[in-house]
Amino acid sequence: MADLSRVPTAPLLAAGLVGGFTLAQRTGVRPLGGAAMLGANVLAARQWYAVGGAPLVAGLSAAYWTAMGVSHPLAKKVGTWPSVLGVTAAASGAAWLLADRRARP
């Protein structure tokens, strides 16, 4: 099995948000998208805990799930894909800023 402990978490979050949205949209089964997001969050949380403990896990997880929630009303204003990509950039940027750049090499 691949060791994912050194994979930066920003791309994991991007894959979770964009992949989760795409999966839900293509299949029509929203819980599948949520499962993809949850998987990405779980993988990232392990690394966040190593970098900053429970407070970092809680904060970045909250930002990640809030981004998904914000994407819905934002999509009504700017369109679906611009919304998904915008919130993905925000959540992934936060992960890079607060965790990935501080992670041990």
Side-chain angles (χ1 to χ4, degrees):
M1 179 152 37
D3 177 17
L4 298 176
S5 65
R6 298 207 186 274
V7 174
T9 63
L12 283 175
L13 295 191
L17 283 162
V18 172
F21 170 73
T22 302
L23 186 59
Q25 187 180 49
R26 298 243 172 151
T27 64
V29 182
R30 293 177 75 167
L32 284 177
M37 286 187 61
L38 181 59
N41 194 177
V42 168
L43 290 173
R46 292 179 60 211
Q47 295 180 60
W48 297 336
Y49 190 83
V51 172
L56 185 61
V57 172
L60 287 175
S61 293
Y64 178 61
W65 290 97
T66 298
M68 190 274 296
V70 166
S71 71
H72 292 86
L74 184 60
K76 292 177 181 170
K77 295 182 184 289
V78 301
T80 304
W81 275 108
S83 173
V84 170
L85 296 175
V87 301
T88 297
S92 297
W96 177 83
L97 184 67
L98 299 172
D100 294 346
R101 72 182 182 130
R102 295 174 37 202
R104 61 184 182 270

